[in-house]
Amino acid sequence: MLNHASAQQVIDNRDGAFTEFGYRQGTAYRTASGKPGPSYWQNGADYVMNVTLDEDSHTITGNVVITYKNNSPETLDFVWLYLEQNRFTPDSRGTLTTPVQGNRYNGDLDGGNTITNVKAQVVGKNRPVSNEYLISDTRMQVHFAEPIPANGGKATISMDFSYKVPEKGMDRMGRLNTKNGEIFALAQWYPKVAVFDDVTGWNTDPYLGAGEFYLGYGDFDYKVTVPYNHIVVASGELMNPNQVLPKLLQDRMKQAADSDERVYLISPEEITDYAKTRPTQSGNMTWHFKMNNTRDVAFASSKAFIWDAARINLPSGKKVIAQSVYPIESDGEEAWGRSTEYSKASVEHYSEMWYEYPYPVAVNVAAEVGGMEYPGLNFCSWKSKGESLWGVTDHEFGHNWFPMIVGSNERRHAWMDEGFNTFINYYSYLAFNDGEYTNNLKQTRRYVGWLTNKDREPIATHPDRTQSNNLGMVAYMKPALGLIMLREYVLGSERFDKAFRSYIKTWAYKHPQPSDFFNHMENVSGENLDWFWKGWFYSNANIDLAINGVYPYGANYVVSLSNLGEMPMPVWLEITYEDGGKERRMLPVEIWFKGNQWNHLLRVDKKVVAVEIDPDKVITDINSGNDKWPSELYK
């Protein structure tokens, strides 16, 4: 990571801005053109799970059978898993690193996994079974009696697990009491395999708080047993609707799957009418779901749900279904009554602009969670209304592209999911109902105060190491601002969109690193952007382009320019003529190759009365006072 230098130091050493910093080297696994290499591999895991929710004791009990696939070129003596419910204990690393005053990632302290009946075995006839394992905080190391073969070897890991569902689940999962019953928002609910990759080997960073997840892909087959009067919504396809839904709700589901307007599956008046909306009136009910080629699954269960749905239309002609579940406290057209409309619009927009949505459902769940994403399912605050609900719904569904489809390492590179998603959210806002709601992201100079704060941190800072008051800018806003500038100012929408879509398609269901993104964007756009990545993502450099003056030069003019900031940029000039006409011209970033001063010969055939840098104010120039000639100060 580059250290921030003072402006004077950079002025004295300006060529450093263009010194390449070594991200281009290709390997057999990852090419210099930003694609998976000819020997690229990634391991995966398939899950078969059965769990039971006890709503009185607030516990989950169940078992899991994991089939692990070792596609790596080396044998594996053990496999690391995550037990993320272990975060909810008094002595977890996450608890011990939470400040006294607390933060967003507060969690209960009376939870944690109980693991029993562990068995690990390489697939094959008469293979020995191992029961050896080690639990360290939120990680679990399972050993095998013999190594898992390289290049396609398989093994199974099975165990029973149980834990108390936290009420406060670090704003990612948990429980909410409502008038008609408790809502259980279940995530990080099963032991899951950590990623073994060609960059780090085993990725075993502990689950602390700000750092989210890095997961492999696989097929999930899971059954959830709940009280008879609960409704369960989940990632993936419901496999047994005939068993868990009465014919009335099955018919309504079919109607919703063919409707662009929301259809109630359970209306506000029917929340407690179990005789009408449940197929049985006692005992438990088992809901069966499947989801293929996904990195995770989550679900919600409650007897308090209003449930509505509508069709999502995808560019290929395929249809999937948007669903929303929420308590009576969240009902209303100014609130969750529009959730399905928001969900449908969000998924349709991203599918059209970037890459088609791959999952069978898009579920929005009202919960005691500010906003959290899982494949095909969100938890959003039950209190959200209007633009707030649109914003969180759109943001969480945007995460289906980053990091669900493009499987980056959130725990280390939060900007590759939060930043990318914040960027695509900007265009979704513009598209929704022709701009019903406002997004000011493109007004980049609103953020100059943070960008010049001495305590700011570079984008590349790991989320768990980022100061809490910087995380929103480091992980979300600054990377999104950078992509806005890259699309709207540096490359233009045509080149940027082609490269960004190619990046998504190329790395769908794979594990890109930052260098893969940088290389891919450069190779598809045809532009060397090392100065941009270095300045914007790996340092605290700022932009300050200036017009020193405009001088007659024969029949033309010379525009004297300075790069007063630490970060170079191309220069968009808007020229205003005496007759009122305007014209725009771009000077390439290469004008700063040999120093921070440049005289541009402006060839014109009319009298020039004004010149302005970046007339649309797209770049985060920290001093707007030197962008114009004649200066506003002397008018």
Side-chain angles (χ1 to χ4, degrees), residues 169-194:
M170 296 173 59
D171 205 21
R172 295 207 170 99
M173 50 94 57
R175 312 190 318 261
L176 169 67
N177 284 308
T178 74
K179 174 184 176 182
N180 294 305
E182 202 161 13
I183 294 175
F184 293 83
L186 280 305
Q188 292 81 58
W189 59 273
Y190 60 93
K192 62 185 68 169
V193 177

Side-chain angles (χ1 to χ4, degrees), residues 121-159:
Q121 183 179 29
V122 173
V123 172
K125 189 175 182 180
N126 298 322
R127 300 285 190 168
V129 176
S130 171
N131 308 113
E132 181 185 354
Y133 66 93
L134 178 148
I135 294 176
S136 173
D137 194 53
T138 56
R139 292 79 52 88
M140 177 180 184
Q141 187 182 47
V142 176
H143 285 266
F144 293 83
E146 55 186 3
I148 309 173
N151 301 313
K154 292 185 178 181
T156 60
I157 303 167
S158 62
M159 70 188 76

Side-chain angles (χ1 to χ4, degrees), residues 34-86:
K35 295 181 179 180
S39 299
Y40 177 84
W41 56 269
Q42 64 188 49
N43 294 351
D46 297 334
Y47 296 78
V48 177
M49 296 180 285
N50 291 272
V51 295
T52 298
L53 169 66
D54 186 321
E55 68 172 339
D56 296 323
S57 64
H58 301 136
T59 57
I60 289 284
T61 59
N63 59 76
V64 58
V65 177
I66 303 169
T67 301
Y68 187 71
K69 305 167 189 175
N70 179 23
N71 297 317
S72 81
E74 59 183 288
T75 60
L76 299 177
D77 296 316
F78 54 82
V79 167
W80 280 101
L81 293 87
Y82 275 111
L83 302 178
E84 284 149 341
Q85 288 298 317
N86 283 354

Side-chain angles (χ1 to χ4, degrees), residues 212 372-373 395-396 399 402 410 413-423 425 475-477 479-480:
E212 294 186 336
M372 187 61 201
E373 71 282 356
H395 180 80
E396 305 312 336
H399 274 303
F402 310 101
E410 299 177 89
H413 310 298
W415 61 271
M416 293 184 74
D417 79 290
E418 297 294 0
F420 288 5
N421 186 27
T422 302
F423 165 72
N425 296 159
Y476 295 72
M477 302 307 296

Side-chain angles (χ1 to χ4, degrees), residues 42 51 73 80 93 157 171 187 216 263 273 346 376 420 449 456 467 487 500 521 546 567 571 609 618 620 623:
Q42 64 188 49
V51 295
W80 280 101
R93 293 192 186 189
I157 303 167
D171 205 21
V263 173
D273 191 350
S346 180
F420 288 5
R456 68 194 186 278
Q467 296 296 326
R487 184 179 192 266
F500 201 55
M521 292 297 291
M567 183 172 170
V571 181
V609 296
V618 175
T620 57
N623 183 4

Side-chain angles (χ1 to χ4, degrees), residues 430-548:
L430 296 182
F432 179 65
N433 278 355
D434 295 321
E436 178 178 348
Y437 299 128
T438 302
N439 185 315
N440 295 320
L441 183 64
K442 194 174 175 180
Q443 297 175 13
T444 62
R445 302 193 185 192
R446 297 168 65 243
Y447 303 95
V448 165
W450 184 88
L451 292 169
T452 55
N453 188 301
K454 66 181 179 61
D455 295 323
R456 68 194 186 278
E457 296 170 276
I459 290 172
T461 310
H462 290 195
D464 282 319
R465 304 173 193 175
T466 304
Q467 296 296 326
S468 297
N469 59 349
N470 281 338
L471 186 63
M473 283 298 298
V474 167
Y476 295 72
M477 302 307 296
K478 189 181 178 186
L481 295 174
L483 295 182
I484 286 278
M485 292 192 292
L486 201 57
R487 184 179 192 266
E488 307 278 348
Y489 188 92
V490 178
L491 294 178
S493 59
E494 183 177 5
R495 278 204 293 167
F496 179 93
D497 290 355
K498 185 176 182 180
F500 201 55
R501 288 170 185 148
S502 178
Y503 167 72
I504 296 171
K505 182 178 180 181
T506 298
W507 287 99
Y509 313 108
K510 296 181 177 66
H511 297 309
Q513 296 291 317
S515 57
D516 299 315
F517 172 68
F518 300 151
N519 284 332
H520 199 86
M521 292 297 291
E522 291 194 11
N523 275 266
V524 179
S525 69
E527 198 73 35
N528 182 333
L529 297 166
D530 62 321
W531 55 272
F532 186 83
W533 314 126
K534 180 181 178 181
W536 194 253
F537 287 83
Y538 285 86
S539 83
N540 284 325
N542 274 313
I543 301 164
D544 184 7
L545 304 178
I547 299 178
N548 304 316

Side-chain angles (χ1 to χ4, degrees), residues 221-409:
D221 186 328
Y222 61 110
K223 295 178 180 178
V224 180
T225 299
V226 297
Y228 78 92
N229 54 3
H230 275 225
I231 294 296
V232 179
V233 290
S235 302
E237 182 179 359
L238 176 62
M239 304 305 295
N240 62 337
N242 293 342
Q243 297 175 18
V244 297
L245 301 177
K247 187 176 185 305
L248 174 65
L249 266 63
Q250 293 179 52
D251 290 343
R252 289 176 177 178
M253 185 70 80
K254 292 175 183 175
Q255 180 186 353
D258 197 35
S259 173
D260 285 322
E261 302 296 327
R262 72 164 177 177
V263 173
Y264 278 118
L265 308 182
I266 298 177
S267 70
E269 296 74 29
E270 296 171 329
I271 293 174
T272 59
D273 191 350
Y274 306 141
K276 182 178 182 182
T277 59
R278 275 49 165 192
T280 186
Q281 302 304 306
S282 63
N284 289 331
M285 190 75 65
T286 298
W287 297 63
H288 182 194
F289 298 91
K290 284 187 178 182
M291 194 175 195
N292 293 332
N293 198 24
T294 181
R295 51 176 256 159
D296 199 3
V297 289
F299 69 93
S301 182
S302 182
K303 60 187 177 184
F305 283 147
I306 300 168
W307 190 9
D308 66 46
R311 177 181 65 195
I312 294 173
N313 305 297
L314 299 178
S316 67
K318 183 181 177 182
K319 314 294 181 186
V320 296
I321 191 164
Q323 302 179 30
S324 298
V325 289
Y326 46 98
I328 193 68
E329 292 91 333
S330 303
D331 190 27
E333 285 304 301
E334 77 289 352
W336 276 77
R338 294 188 70 184
S339 168
T340 293
E341 175 194 354
Y342 295 158
S343 304
K344 170 183 166 66
S346 180
V347 172
E348 288 179 349
H349 168 79
Y350 297 127
S351 296
E352 183 68 36
M353 187 163 184
W354 303 115
Y355 185 92
E356 183 162 300
Y357 187 74
Y359 307 126
V361 295
V363 185
N364 207 20
V365 179
E368 186 70 289
V369 177
M372 187 61 201
E373 71 282 356
Y374 299 94
L377 181 142
N378 306 327
F379 299 133
C380 295
S381 174
W382 66 278
K383 297 178 182 178
S384 290
K385 296 181 178 180
E387 183 170 2
S388 172
L389 180 58
W390 156 257
V392 68
T393 298
D394 182 56
H395 180 80
E396 305 312 336
F397 275 122
H399 274 303
N400 282 277
W401 283 263
F402 310 101
M404 306 311 169
I405 295 171
V406 182
S408 58
N409 185 344

